[in-house]
Amino acid sequence: MAHFQLAQALGRQAQRENLIGSAKLAGQIKSELLTAIRLDPGMPQPYAALAVWNAEISAKGALPALLLGASRAEALKNFEKTLNLDPVTMSYHVEYGRALLNMNDAKLRARGVQQLQYALTLTPRTYWERDEQRKARELLGQLR
């Protein structure tokens, strides 16, 4: 869990950095997530974070993806692993749906809509899950 939390902290730091600084941190983030997975392969959080990492960097273009070792295929694989480990955490479905909607592929976008719609069928257990449902509704509303 410590490696996952360090990756999260580095991610927040990367959001405040310039392009070069955030690219340097991206490698560290990936390394920490892979270490977390190696140490506890049954923990869904680092798979979800690695999926988002791959999806966001891949969305920036082929060159950043190539330089940082990110891919759409890895994003999809890690989202599926996350949902296999924890199918009921709403934020995983919303993040997966968002990532799929950002991919320029009609079939993947349709799967993204399904993920968001599924998130809306889950019963929110916390304020944060109600907020995730709000995000899912907003994303779906933007499609209309």
Side-chain angles (χ1 to χ4, degrees):
M1 184 57 86
H3 290 280
F4 166 69
Q5 290 176 339
L6 177 56
Q8 281 189 308
L10 291 169
R12 300 234 190 293
Q13 183 180 347
Q15 290 173 334
R16 293 189 306 268
E17 293 285 332
N18 61 28
L19 183 61
I20 303 292
S22 64
K24 287 179 183 177
L25 289 170
Q28 289 177 274
I29 293 165
K30 183 179 181 181
S31 177
E32 292 300 331
L33 293 172
L34 292 172
T35 299
I37 289 168
R38 182 176 48 78
L39 293 172
D40 188 353
M43 186 170 56
Q45 296 96 323
Y47 289 104
L50 190 57
V52 170
W53 183 92
N54 274 282
E56 288 183 358
I57 291 174
S58 296
K60 294 182 187 305
L63 184 59
L66 178 67
L67 292 173
L68 296 170
S71 75
R72 227 169 59 170
E74 280 297 308
L76 298 174
K77 180 180 92 172
N78 283 293
F79 273 122
E80 290 299 324
K81 180 69 175 179
T82 301
L83 294 178
N84 284 335
L85 291 170
D86 182 356
V88 297
T89 295
M90 200 173 301
S91 63
Y92 299 151
H93 293 282
V94 175
E95 286 299 325
Y96 192 14
R98 176 180 293 131
L100 290 167
L101 290 177
N102 287 331
M103 296 180 185
N104 292 327
D105 179 302
K107 289 181 184 177
L108 294 178
R109 289 177 61 83
R111 281 176 49 196
V113 168
Q114 290 172 339
Q115 287 297 321
L116 295 171
Q117 289 172 334
Y118 181 75
L120 295 176
T121 69
L122 298 171
T123 302
R125 299 169 290 185
T126 64
Y127 163 82
W128 300 110
E129 288 186 344
R130 285 189 299 279
D131 192 51
E132 288 296 325
Q133 283 190 327
R134 179 192 58 76
K135 291 175 189 175
R137 278 189 211 89
E138 284 179 7
L139 287 167
L140 288 168
Q142 292 170 6
L143 299 174
R144 294 185 180 130

